[in-house]
Amino acid sequence: MAQVETQTVVQSKEKVSSPWRDAWKVLRKNKAAVIGFIIILFFIAIALLAPFITDYKYDEGVLTDKNKPPSAEHWFGTDYNGRDVFTRVVYGAQLSLWVGFFSVIGSIIVGTFFGLLAGYYGRWIDMLISRIFDIMLAFPSILLAIAIVAILGPSLQNALLAISIINVPTYGRLVRSRVLSLKEEEYVTAARAIGMKDSRILFRHILPNSLAPIIVTGTLGIATAIIEAASLGFLGLGAQAPEPEWGKMLADSRQYIQKAPWTVIYPGLSIMLTVLGFNLIGDGLRDALDPRMKN
């Protein structure tokens, strides 16, 4: 009898699944999300393997080979300086993904911290932080980024910093709204009743229950950050020559769009596919992590 009860307990434990495991099962069945994962993994792979994929250097060219069409020697053709476009697109994946990931990570860390403070403590802290967010959101994001880079100086690192700053309010307000609802839950009240410290309540109970919307918004935010980095690069405020950032490549080649369209097509396609991949993953995560989307 004891053995039967033990087997029953073991089987029941195996059947118990966490919300994250359930979300992963739903995500795997989402064909669009799977396609998004494949696209992003492809670009991550070529970014990591760039030195092994091409024999050319992204900053060296032969002027006698400038603006040559795609061929067996130069798969994506060459640009106005005789540089291999395929090589520059491959190395550009490193820069664009680097900016996308780290700018969003910075925005999430800072925005989450201030969102937790504003939502949990309220009163003048909430008012001060919320007004700062409102002021930042009153400006168009790209104009605010341009202003920050203009002050700091044009470079890829400053563009990354600017993109991180302009997106802080997005995550801060998201976390604040979650904290406002979660801090009224019974388990938070019980934690306060037993004398648990505020920091432990915030980072042990409230923050873990706020991760789902942060992850979804962060995934979509990577796509937005890549576009913003490309926009700053196109305006000459992001990556500087000879860095092969996709937006900078578009800006440098726009005057050759009729004579050498391949110099614009391939960087543009890279931006489009990368953004599409992150958007598909973000939509899939939203469907998988949002309880309202489940039957």
Side-chain angles (χ1 to χ4, degrees):
M1 185 68 179
Q3 292 180 352
V4 174
E5 291 179 354
T6 303
Q7 292 177 355
T8 304
V9 171
V10 172
Q11 291 176 357
S12 63
K13 287 184 179 180
E14 292 176 351
K15 292 180 181 179
V16 173
S17 58
S18 67
W20 295 103
R21 189 178 294 112
D22 293 339
W24 172 244
K25 291 179 181 178
V26 175
L27 191 62
R28 287 187 302 176
K29 297 178 181 178
N30 189 321
K31 294 182 180 180
V34 172
I35 293 173
F37 271 113
I38 293 173
I39 293 173
I40 298 307
L41 288 176
F42 170 76
F43 278 100
I44 291 176
I46 66 172
L48 295 176
L49 300 175
F52 307 100
I53 294 177
T54 176
D55 296 328
Y56 297 99
K57 294 183 178 180
Y58 68 82
D59 57 350
E60 292 183 2
V62 181
L63 291 179
T64 55
D65 292 338
K66 66 179 182 178
N67 290 332
K68 282 193 172 182
S71 62
E73 184 179 3
H74 301 285
W75 294 354
F76 290 178
T78 59
D79 65 4
Y80 61 96
N81 277 331
R83 296 172 297 195
D84 185 65
V85 175
F86 174 76
T87 300
R88 291 179 62 77
V89 168
V90 168
Y91 277 95
Q94 295 179 345
L95 299 180
S96 294
L97 292 175
W98 178 70
V99 171
F101 279 113
F102 285 97
S103 63
V104 168
I105 290 173
S107 299
I108 289 176
I109 292 174
V110 178
T112 298
F113 176 75
F114 286 109
L116 288 171
L117 293 180
Y120 188 77
Y121 290 106
R123 298 184 180 180
W124 67 269
I125 297 178
D126 183 20
M127 183 182 67
L128 177 62
I129 294 175
S130 296
R131 295 299 78 79
I132 293 174
F133 287 166
D134 291 339
I135 293 172
M136 295 177 66
L137 291 172
F139 296 93
S141 59
I142 189 64
L143 291 182
L144 184 57
I146 290 172
I148 294 172
V149 175
I151 294 172
L152 299 177
S155 70
L156 188 62
Q157 290 76 15
N158 291 337
L160 186 153
L161 179 61
I163 294 169
S164 297
I165 292 173
I166 65 175
N167 289 312
V168 165
T170 301
Y171 301 98
R173 296 184 69 174
L174 173 65
V175 174
R176 174 184 175 274
S177 63
R178 289 289 298 169
V179 174
L180 286 175
S181 60
L182 290 174
K183 72 176 184 179
E184 304 299 332
E185 295 290 336
E186 294 181 357
Y187 62 87
V188 175
T189 304
R192 287 201 198 101
I194 63 175
M196 187 176 292
K197 294 182 179 179
D198 289 343
S199 59
R200 187 174 177 83
I201 294 174
L202 284 171
F203 294 102
R204 183 72 179 270
H205 298 289
I206 293 179
L207 181 58
N209 286 290
S210 304
L211 287 179
I214 294 175
I215 292 173
V216 173
T217 307
T219 305
L220 296 171
I222 294 175
T224 303
I226 291 174
I227 293 177
E228 290 168 342
S231 301
L232 291 174
F234 186 84
L235 296 173
L237 297 173
Q240 301 299 302
E243 292 178 323
E245 197 272 325
W246 291 334
K248 179 63 175 173
M249 292 174 65
L250 290 175
D252 293 341
S253 302
R254 66 181 184 276
Q255 58 183 319
Y256 303 101
I257 191 170
Q258 293 182 341
K259 184 179 180 180
W262 52 85
T263 59
V264 177
I265 291 174
Y266 293 111
L269 280 176
S270 300
I271 294 173
M272 184 199 72
L273 289 174
T274 306
V275 172
L276 174 64
F278 280 112
N279 283 337
L280 292 176
I281 294 173
D283 289 340
L285 286 172
R286 181 194 60 196
D287 296 342
L289 296 175
D290 190 348
R292 295 172 296 180
M293 304 296 293
K294 299 178 182 178
N295 295 324

